[in-house]
Amino acid sequence: DIVMTQSPDSLAVSLGERATINCKSSQSVLYSSNNKNYLAWYQQKPGQPPNLVINWASTRESGVPDRFSGSGSGTDFTLTISSLQAEDVAVYYCQQFYTTPVTFGGGTKVEIK
Amino acid sequence: EVQLVESGGGLVKPGGSLRLSCAASGFTFNNAAMSWVRQAPGKGLEWVGRIKMNTDGGTVEYAAPVKGRFTISRDDSKNTLYLQMNSLKTEDTAVYFCATYSGYNKDWGQGTLVTVSS
């Protein structure tokens, strides 16, 4: 199975400041035939289901604010919130869907400093 | 608007069984692969398994912790996804979400809580 490791486990960022979450996969999730990274990011607020934010490592879902961006390739990925807003407080998960079983990172809790 | 509504959760004793349902609307269910994802209290997300659409073979894959005990099925005539859970263990206690599946999970239900306890 591909192991997804997120860091940090939690971070506190001031409103308007940048938040950066890292995700590392135990093997590459880049499919060479189409040059796509099979990596997604989800936001989960308390009491709610996860919400897909980014897929294919860097494609923002419709309706997601452009302060959210995804980057990286192969085994190392980053989710960046360029200017943290109060409504961004949540736990964020990365997920690889390169192969089954699909696996998730352990989550990163983002709070306001 | 896509809607996924899970039901069937509750309290069950270890070794018992439970069947969850997920009623889908707002999209063409028989053209969608579907999956179940669970979340133990205060923990992260865990993929349970997925079922392809019947025109794609309808094949099912499971995560190792549930293989042989859980069965995913679908009834396209009822736009409903199922999760039959047998031989339940305390570690199966979780909120169970159904979700559309394209590798990633775009649309999610609100989840249903399954508690396995004596």
Side-chain angles (χ1 to χ4, degrees), chain A residues 9-25:
Chain A
D9 292 336
S10 64
L11 74 161
V13 175
S14 300
L15 288 171
E17 295 301 305
R18 180 184 300 263
T20 301
I21 301 168
N22 300 300
C23 175
K24 188 174 184 67
S25 57

PDB file of all heavy atoms in Angstrom, chain A residues 9-25:
ATOM      1  N   ASP A   9       1.415  18.030  11.847  1.00  0.00           N
ATOM      2  CA  ASP A   9       0.124  17.513  12.314  1.00  0.00           C
ATOM      3  C   ASP A   9      -0.865  18.649  12.543  1.00  0.00           C
ATOM      4  O   ASP A   9      -2.078  18.477  12.374  1.00  0.00           O
ATOM      5  CB  ASP A   9       0.314  16.744  13.627  1.00  0.00           C
ATOM      6  CG  ASP A   9       1.089  15.458  13.429  1.00  0.00           C
ATOM      7  OD1 ASP A   9       1.092  14.917  12.300  1.00  0.00           O
ATOM      8  OD2 ASP A   9       1.709  14.985  14.400  1.00  0.00           O
ATOM      9  N   SER A  10      -0.343  19.793  12.953  1.00  0.00           N
ATOM     10  CA  SER A  10      -1.189  20.960  13.158  1.00  0.00           C
ATOM     11  C   SER A  10      -0.351  22.214  12.966  1.00  0.00           C
ATOM     12  O   SER A  10       0.883  22.180  13.099  1.00  0.00           O
ATOM     13  CB  SER A  10      -1.816  20.958  14.547  1.00  0.00           C
ATOM     14  OG  SER A  10      -0.825  21.067  15.538  1.00  0.00           O
ATOM     15  N   LEU A  11      -1.029  23.295  12.609  1.00  0.00           N
ATOM     16  CA  LEU A  11      -0.346  24.578  12.531  1.00  0.00           C
ATOM     17  C   LEU A  11      -1.320  25.699  12.815  1.00  0.00           C
ATOM     18  O   LEU A  11      -2.515  25.591  12.505  1.00  0.00           O
ATOM     19  CB  LEU A  11       0.344  24.774  11.178  1.00  0.00           C
ATOM     20  CG  LEU A  11      -0.462  25.084   9.929  1.00  0.00           C
ATOM     21  CD1 LEU A  11       0.443  25.676   8.866  1.00  0.00           C
ATOM     22  CD2 LEU A  11      -1.151  23.856   9.405  1.00  0.00           C
ATOM     23  N   ALA A  12      -0.792  26.743  13.440  1.00  0.00           N
ATOM     24  CA  ALA A  12      -1.564  27.924  13.772  1.00  0.00           C
ATOM     25  C   ALA A  12      -0.985  29.099  12.991  1.00  0.00           C
ATOM     26  O   ALA A  12       0.213  29.372  13.074  1.00  0.00           O
ATOM     27  CB  ALA A  12      -1.520  28.198  15.270  1.00  0.00           C
ATOM     28  N   VAL A  13      -1.850  29.746  12.235  1.00  0.00           N
ATOM     29  CA  VAL A  13      -1.427  30.823  11.346  1.00  0.00           C
ATOM     30  C   VAL A  13      -2.297  32.049  11.603  1.00  0.00           C
ATOM     31  O   VAL A  13      -3.506  31.919  11.836  1.00  0.00           O
ATOM     32  CB  VAL A  13      -1.561  30.374   9.877  1.00  0.00           C
ATOM     33  CG1 VAL A  13      -1.240  31.512   8.916  1.00  0.00           C
ATOM     34  CG2 VAL A  13      -0.657  29.165   9.607  1.00  0.00           C
ATOM     35  N   SER A  14      -1.704  33.222  11.561  1.00  0.00           N
ATOM     36  CA  SER A  14      -2.473  34.454  11.741  1.00  0.00           C
ATOM     37  C   SER A  14      -3.365  34.705  10.526  1.00  0.00           C
ATOM     38  O   SER A  14      -3.044  34.299   9.399  1.00  0.00           O
ATOM     39  CB  SER A  14      -1.529  35.648  11.922  1.00  0.00           C
ATOM     40  OG  SER A  14      -0.704  35.471  13.050  1.00  0.00           O
ATOM     41  N   LEU A  15      -4.476  35.351  10.763  1.00  0.00           N
ATOM     42  CA  LEU A  15      -5.369  35.718   9.666  1.00  0.00           C
ATOM     43  C   LEU A  15      -4.610  36.530   8.617  1.00  0.00           C
ATOM     44  O   LEU A  15      -3.844  37.441   8.952  1.00  0.00           O
ATOM     45  CB  LEU A  15      -6.557  36.529  10.183  1.00  0.00           C
ATOM     46  CG  LEU A  15      -7.604  35.756  10.974  1.00  0.00           C
ATOM     47  CD1 LEU A  15      -8.611  36.714  11.613  1.00  0.00           C
ATOM     48  CD2 LEU A  15      -8.317  34.731  10.119  1.00  0.00           C
ATOM     49  N   GLY A  16      -4.814  36.160   7.356  1.00  0.00           N
ATOM     50  CA  GLY A  16      -4.137  36.849   6.275  1.00  0.00           C
ATOM     51  C   GLY A  16      -2.752  36.326   5.935  1.00  0.00           C
ATOM     52  O   GLY A  16      -2.162  36.733   4.931  1.00  0.00           O
ATOM     53  N   GLU A  17      -2.236  35.438   6.774  1.00  0.00           N
ATOM     54  CA  GLU A  17      -0.908  34.876   6.529  1.00  0.00           C
ATOM     55  C   GLU A  17      -1.013  33.557   5.743  1.00  0.00           C
ATOM     56  O   GLU A  17      -2.088  32.985   5.574  1.00  0.00           O
ATOM     57  CB  GLU A  17      -0.164  34.647   7.841  1.00  0.00           C
ATOM     58  CG  GLU A  17       0.142  35.936   8.594  1.00  0.00           C
ATOM     59  CD  GLU A  17       0.991  36.891   7.762  1.00  0.00           C
ATOM     60  OE1 GLU A  17       2.069  36.466   7.296  1.00  0.00           O
ATOM     61  OE2 GLU A  17       0.566  38.048   7.560  1.00  0.00           O
ATOM     62  N   ARG A  18       0.135  33.065   5.304  1.00  0.00           N
ATOM     63  CA  ARG A  18       0.187  31.855   4.486  1.00  0.00           C
ATOM     64  C   ARG A  18       0.239  30.608   5.343  1.00  0.00           C
ATOM     65  O   ARG A  18       0.950  30.564   6.357  1.00  0.00           O
ATOM     66  CB  ARG A  18       1.422  31.911   3.594  1.00  0.00           C
ATOM     67  CG  ARG A  18       1.624  30.715   2.682  1.00  0.00           C
ATOM     68  CD  ARG A  18       2.943  30.857   1.927  1.00  0.00           C
ATOM     69  NE  ARG A  18       2.936  32.080   1.115  1.00  0.00           N
ATOM     70  CZ  ARG A  18       2.641  32.116  -0.178  1.00  0.00           C
ATOM     71  NH1 ARG A  18       2.342  30.989  -0.822  1.00  0.00           N
ATOM     72  NH2 ARG A  18       2.670  33.258  -0.840  1.00  0.00           N
ATOM     73  N   ALA A  19      -0.509  29.598   4.915  1.00  0.00           N
ATOM     74  CA  ALA A  19      -0.460  28.280   5.553  1.00  0.00           C
ATOM     75  C   ALA A  19       0.028  27.276   4.520  1.00  0.00           C
ATOM     76  O   ALA A  19      -0.467  27.255   3.383  1.00  0.00           O
ATOM     77  CB  ALA A  19      -1.835  27.871   6.072  1.00  0.00           C
ATOM     78  N   THR A  20       0.968  26.446   4.926  1.00  0.00           N
ATOM     79  CA  THR A  20       1.549  25.461   4.013  1.00  0.00           C
ATOM     80  C   THR A  20       1.502  24.080   4.648  1.00  0.00           C
ATOM     81  O   THR A  20       1.975  23.887   5.778  1.00  0.00           O
ATOM     82  CB  THR A  20       3.005  25.825   3.682  1.00  0.00           C
ATOM     83  OG1 THR A  20       3.042  27.125   3.080  1.00  0.00           O
ATOM     84  CG2 THR A  20       3.597  24.806   2.713  1.00  0.00           C
ATOM     85  N   ILE A  21       0.924  23.138   3.920  1.00  0.00           N
ATOM     86  CA  ILE A  21       0.795  21.757   4.391  1.00  0.00           C
ATOM     87  C   ILE A  21       1.528  20.854   3.408  1.00  0.00           C
ATOM     88  O   ILE A  21       1.365  20.998   2.187  1.00  0.00           O
ATOM     89  CB  ILE A  21      -0.687  21.345   4.469  1.00  0.00           C
ATOM     90  CG1 ILE A  21      -1.453  22.275   5.411  1.00  0.00           C
ATOM     91  CG2 ILE A  21      -0.816  19.894   4.924  1.00  0.00           C
ATOM     92  CD1 ILE A  21      -2.959  22.126   5.321  1.00  0.00           C
ATOM     93  N   ASN A  22       2.293  19.929   3.939  1.00  0.00           N
ATOM     94  CA  ASN A  22       3.081  19.027   3.107  1.00  0.00           C
ATOM     95  C   ASN A  22       2.531  17.610   3.150  1.00  0.00           C
ATOM     96  O   ASN A  22       1.970  17.170   4.161  1.00  0.00           O
ATOM     97  CB  ASN A  22       4.538  19.023   3.578  1.00  0.00           C
ATOM     98  CG  ASN A  22       5.143  20.400   3.486  1.00  0.00           C
ATOM     99  OD1 ASN A  22       5.209  20.988   2.416  1.00  0.00           O
ATOM    100  ND2 ASN A  22       5.588  20.934   4.625  1.00  0.00           N
ATOM    101  N   CYS A  23       2.722  16.905   2.054  1.00  0.00           N
ATOM    102  CA  CYS A  23       2.263  15.524   1.936  1.00  0.00           C
ATOM    103  C   CYS A  23       3.300  14.752   1.131  1.00  0.00           C
ATOM    104  O   CYS A  23       3.703  15.196   0.044  1.00  0.00           O
ATOM    105  CB  CYS A  23       0.900  15.495   1.242  1.00  0.00           C
ATOM    106  SG  CYS A  23       0.252  13.852   0.885  1.00  0.00           S
ATOM    107  N   LYS A  24       3.711  13.632   1.680  1.00  0.00           N
ATOM    108  CA  LYS A  24       4.712  12.811   0.998  1.00  0.00           C
ATOM    109  C   LYS A  24       4.173  11.407   0.839  1.00  0.00           C
ATOM    110  O   LYS A  24       3.639  10.823   1.788  1.00  0.00           O
ATOM    111  CB  LYS A  24       6.007  12.783   1.820  1.00  0.00           C
ATOM    112  CG  LYS A  24       7.179  12.124   1.110  1.00  0.00           C
ATOM    113  CD  LYS A  24       8.453  12.267   1.917  1.00  0.00           C
ATOM    114  CE  LYS A  24       9.657  11.691   1.187  1.00  0.00           C
ATOM    115  NZ  LYS A  24       9.995  12.468  -0.034  1.00  0.00           N
ATOM    116  N   SER A  25       4.319  10.857  -0.360  1.00  0.00           N
ATOM    117  CA  SER A  25       3.871   9.494  -0.625  1.00  0.00           C
ATOM    118  C   SER A  25       5.063   8.544  -0.621  1.00  0.00           C
ATOM    119  O   SER A  25       6.182   8.934  -0.993  1.00  0.00           O
ATOM    120  CB  SER A  25       3.129   9.412  -1.954  1.00  0.00           C
ATOM    121  OG  SER A  25       3.931   9.883  -3.014  1.00  0.00           O
TER     122      SER A  25
END
